[in-house]
Amino acid sequence: MPPKKVWKNLLASFTIFLDHPFVVGDLVEVGGVTGVIEKIGFRSTRIRTLEKTFVTVPNKSMIDKPLNNLSLRTFRRVQFDVNLTYDTTSAQIKAITSELQEYIDSHPQTNLDGRIRFQNLGASSKDVMVLYFVEALDWNEFINIKEEVAYKIVEVVEKHGADFAFPTQTLHVYKENKRNAPQAPETAHFPPSDLQ
């Protein structure tokens, strides 16, 4: 009589063949493994990871653990912050967010759920949230659209005379005259890496 594990994997295989939670070619995430289904066998499923390695997962694990079939998504979500310098005026921010919102809404590969919002006053920047959803499920097409949007963001920020921020620290240096009286400070800005 076959071992208990063999029976469990065979029963899991029947579940996979009957319910079709995934098929060959689907991009899935299960048990900390993300990759494309290459082969579904009676005892195990073979997955090619994003690093191009093969992982063989027992069918019981494919059924027992939460499985996210990424190929069934209707959109891919993109979210990040655009960090603007503190000398960016409110008028510039409004113009930038308005133009980017219009661009995202009218893009043929995004839906109308995208949001461009002035969201936060950071330690060294004024932060604009960029959130949009891409219809393209193909990875290469997806990253091409992300690049296209990124170029547009740079173009719009430059168009409105704003600059991108980076973490800085302000160092005040005081000079003393002969009477040891402090004079007006000289201000210098250094990236954090230069002060370590």
Side-chain angles (χ1 to χ4, degrees):
M1 187 175 180
K4 191 175 181 180
K5 285 186 178 180
V6 175
W7 281 113
K8 287 183 177 181
N9 283 322
L10 286 174
L11 288 173
S13 300
F14 286 122
T15 302
I16 292 172
F17 293 138
L18 291 174
D19 291 347
H20 298 292
F22 53 85
V23 296
V24 172
D26 281 354
L27 177 65
V28 300
E29 184 178 68
V30 60
V33 177
T34 302
V36 176
I37 300 293
E38 290 275 334
K39 181 182 178 182
I40 304 172
F42 281 106
R43 296 179 55 185
S44 62
T45 296
R46 181 179 290 182
I47 300 175
R48 183 181 289 278
T49 69
L50 300 180
E51 290 77 26
K52 302 303 180 184
T53 60
F54 273 125
V55 176
T56 300
V57 182
N59 285 337
K60 183 179 181 300
S61 297
M62 297 294 292
I63 297 300
D64 289 347
K65 295 180 179 179
L67 184 140
N68 186 7
N69 192 330
L70 303 175
S71 295
L72 298 180
R73 294 181 301 188
T74 54
F75 290 91
R76 288 180 181 265
R77 180 174 180 266
V78 180
Q79 182 175 354
F80 57 90
D81 287 340
V82 173
N83 308 121
L84 303 175
T85 56
Y86 257 98
D87 57 2
T88 307
T89 66
S90 58
Q92 287 174 307
I93 294 174
K94 287 178 181 178
I96 290 169
T97 56
S98 177
E99 185 169 344
L100 288 177
Q101 183 70 63
E102 183 179 343
Y103 171 75
I104 291 297
D105 288 343
S106 61
H107 195 287
Q109 293 294 326
T110 64
N111 65 10
L112 295 178
D113 293 330
R115 295 291 181 270
I116 311 294
R117 296 289 187 271
F118 176 33
Q119 197 78 0
N120 186 46
L121 294 172
S124 56
S125 62
K126 295 179 178 180
D127 303 328
V128 174
M129 179 192 72
V130 177
L131 169 67
Y132 62 94
F133 297 85
V134 180
E135 288 184 349
L137 297 180
D138 177 76
W139 175 252
N140 289 324
E141 187 176 359
F142 172 64
I143 61 175
N144 286 340
I145 293 171
K146 283 184 65 178
E147 180 185 48
E148 181 184 331
V149 172
Y151 273 124
K152 183 65 176 181
I153 290 172
V154 173
E155 176 187 323
V156 170
V157 169
E158 291 176 346
K159 171 185 173 182
H160 293 284
D163 291 309
F164 294 101
F166 56 91
T168 59
Q169 294 179 354
T170 302
L171 179 65
H172 296 281
V173 180
Y174 288 87
K175 289 184 178 180
E176 293 186 356
N177 60 19
K178 295 181 179 179
R179 297 181 180 179
N180 295 324
Q183 297 180 347
E186 296 180 357
T187 302
H189 299 281
F190 300 93
S193 60
D194 291 347
L195 298 177
Q196 296 177 353

